[in-house]
Amino acid sequence: MSVYLNGSYVPRESATVSVLDRGFVFGDGIYEVWRVVRGGLFEHERHVRRLVEGAEALRLTRPAELSRRALETMAARLLADAGLQAGEATFYVQVTRGVAPRTHHFPPEGTPPTVFAMVNPFSPPEALRVSGATAVTVPDVRWHRCNVKTIQLLPNAMAKQQAQERGALEAVLVRDGVVTEGSHTNVMAVVGGTIRTHPANELILAGVTRAVVLELAAELGIAVEERPVTLDELWGVDELFLTGTTTDVMPLVRVDDRVIGGGTSGPVSRALIAALHARMDATPVSKIE
Ligand SMILES: Cc1ncc(COP(=O)(O)O)c(C=O)c1O
């Protein structure tokens, strides 16, 4: 399988990056993950926009690859090479501040960013969606720029590891007594028929799936309030679910071994799963230009 690295398509085994890459030394970079449906990039525009905004937020030199069209061509070529044009896959893109002698301050003007991309096969967890998943609460110890999708994922990885060790799918992060999001998902609750979720500020990553699900909720006539659920409120919500690129809409039926709602996926979650899958099925196939 090939990957894309700095302008070339190379076999994954022989793709290498310098030990002085600022991504390796400082975690100085951003990334993006698309869901690929039959060769098409789901919500392509939104993912490109988030990547470009991330580059601007970190003052990364914007590489030529960060255009809608260049990314579409890159994905199409990697998918063709991997034989993944049918079915489901993911497309991953990472941009770092490039290779330079190690200094905390930025490298000299003109240092080219490192651009890496790959595709991977993907099987959505459909069986778990029917039974509902479990989560554990973990303190949210991240910085105050969680709205930028940086490759610095150590707090997220440690939270997810805690979930894994406790047999749960996801870690629900709690900061100052309120639910912010998951380690790699957004969290939504249904309270009295209204969807409640943390506002898209610097304390969460504004998920692409979050935005799509809120749009679908509006289309379905479901009220939405961008106000976080407190930890105290969590135990009394009617439904709780995660949203994410590789998670879609995933009902949570237990948190910290306590039953949520009726202990099964609820009607709002089920309606949103169906609506999201219908929208994914309509993803246009990528064009190579
Ligand atoms: C911290 C965090 N929150 C939320 C999400 C969900 O975002 P999206 O729906 O764009 O995948 C992710 C995705 O990786 C994430 O890392």
Side-chain angles (χ1 to χ4, degrees), residues 170-188:
E170 178 59 306
V172 166
L173 304 177
V174 178
R175 190 195 293 261
D176 297 333
V178 307
V179 172
T180 50
E181 58 179 337
S183 75
H184 64 295
T185 55
N186 291 111
V187 178
M188 299 192 186

Side-chain angles (χ1 to χ4, degrees), residues 6 22 59-63 96-101 106-114:
N6 298 330
R22 288 183 64 100
R59 296 165 56 195
L60 287 174
T61 304
R62 183 171 155 181
T96 76
R97 208 179 301 276
V99 178
F106 293 174
E109 196 86 16
T111 301
T114 299

Side-chain angles (χ1 to χ4, degrees), residues 87-133:
E88 303 240 6
T90 56
F91 174 46
Y92 176 94
V93 174
Q94 176 172 319
V95 181
T96 76
R97 208 179 301 276
V99 178
R102 185 182 182 280
T103 61
H104 280 66
H105 61 79
F106 293 174
E109 196 86 16
T111 301
T114 299
V115 183
F116 162 61
M118 63 179 168
V119 293
N120 283 296
F122 180 69
S123 313
E126 293 314 320
L128 195 52
R129 237 183 281 294
V130 177
S131 60

Side-chain angles (χ1 to χ4, degrees), residues 96-276:
T96 76
R97 208 179 301 276
V99 178
R102 185 182 182 280
T103 61
H104 280 66
H105 61 79
F106 293 174
E109 196 86 16
T111 301
T114 299
V115 183
F116 162 61
M118 63 179 168
V119 293
N120 283 296
F122 180 69
S123 313
E126 293 314 320
L128 195 52
R129 237 183 281 294
V130 177
S131 60
T134 62
V136 293
T137 56
V138 175
D140 188 346
V141 296
R142 299 173 300 162
W143 70 339
H144 282 67
R145 298 188 73 183
C146 301
N147 53 319
V148 185
K149 198 167 168 67
T150 76
I151 57 173
Q152 301 191 57
L153 290 172
L154 189 54
N156 308 59
M158 291 191 76
K160 171 71 183 182
Q161 179 62 19
Q162 277 194 50
Q164 179 96 354
E165 287 171 2
R166 291 164 64 185
L169 177 75
E170 178 59 306
V172 166
L173 304 177
V174 178
R175 190 195 293 261
D176 297 333
V178 307
V179 172
T180 50
E181 58 179 337
S183 75
H184 64 295
T185 55
N186 291 111
V187 178
M188 299 192 186
V190 181
V191 183
T194 296
I195 293 177
R196 291 259 305 273
T197 195
H198 199 287
N201 60 16
E202 73 290 347
L203 296 183
I204 67 160
L205 182 79
V208 167
T209 323
R210 175 188 183 279
V212 172
V213 163
L214 295 186
E215 263 174 28
L216 293 171
E219 283 169 23
L220 293 169
I222 304 165
V224 173
E225 201 182 340
E226 294 189 51
R227 177 163 66 95
V229 168
T230 66
L231 189 57
D232 290 341
E233 286 174 317
L234 186 63
W235 316 115
V237 302
D238 302 319
E239 295 183 43
L240 190 67
F241 58 90
L242 306 170
T243 66
T245 290
T246 56
T247 308
D248 300 351
V249 170
M250 176 62 76
L252 288 177
V253 295
R254 290 180 89 87
V255 177
D256 290 347
D257 292 327
R258 290 170 75 166
V259 173
I260 301 292
T264 55
S265 66
V268 172
S269 312
R270 285 200 301 270
L272 290 169
I273 290 168
L276 180 63

Side-chain angles (χ1 to χ4, degrees), residues 21-30 58 96 150-153:
D21 192 280
R22 288 183 64 100
F24 180 60
V25 177
F26 289 112
D28 186 355
I30 51 172
L58 299 191
T96 76
T150 76
I151 57 173
Q152 301 191 57
L153 290 172

